[in-house]
Amino acid sequence: MTPPTQLAWPFPTETQPGRGSGFRKPPTTTPAGWSSDEEIYLARAYPSITAAPVISKLIGRTLGAVRRKAQRLGLRRPLRGRAANAAFALKSPPPPAQSGDNFNCLSRLF
């Protein structure tokens, strides 16, 4: 007859009083609060064309932390791509009306 084998379970099956859950807390490597120097640098660099990952590396924060702090401070990135093209198109004045255009007929209807 073979002896009953006990399964080796690496995790505690129930909490033991005074010993916690059996798992270590993850190490905290980032500082809790933002210094005024970090906020000033972020306020100057974030609205420029400097890439956000570069800013996060220089400050020593994660990209998500930099974006969250910028949002809380009300900072915006410059427009790029189609958004920049659309904003530029809205800023330029419309072309002058030609004498042969039929666009002015709509104003007579209303």
Side-chain angles (χ1 to χ4, degrees):
M1 184 169 206
T2 59
T5 57
Q6 183 178 1
L7 297 175
W9 187 253
F11 305 109
T13 56
E14 58 188 45
T15 58
Q16 299 172 355
R19 294 192 172 202
S21 64
F23 297 102
R24 293 184 187 159
K25 292 183 179 179
T28 56
T29 57
T30 58
W34 284 68
S35 68
S36 60
D37 292 336
E38 289 174 331
E39 288 182 0
I40 291 170
Y41 180 78
L42 181 65
R44 289 183 180 168
Y46 198 78
S48 67
I49 60 171
T50 306
V54 173
I55 296 171
S56 69
K57 295 280 185 189
L58 291 174
I59 293 178
R61 304 276 182 164
T62 63
L63 182 59
V66 168
R67 288 182 174 161
R68 268 191 312 275
K69 188 65 172 182
Q71 184 180 16
R72 289 179 184 154
L73 292 176
L75 303 174
R76 303 280 311 246
R77 298 286 294 159
L79 297 176
R80 299 174 298 169
R82 293 190 326 192
N85 294 340
F88 178 73
L90 291 175
K91 289 181 183 178
S92 63
Q98 302 276 334
S99 62
D101 286 342
N102 293 330
F103 297 118
N104 294 333
C105 66
L106 292 177
S107 64
R108 285 185 243 143
L109 294 176
F110 298 104

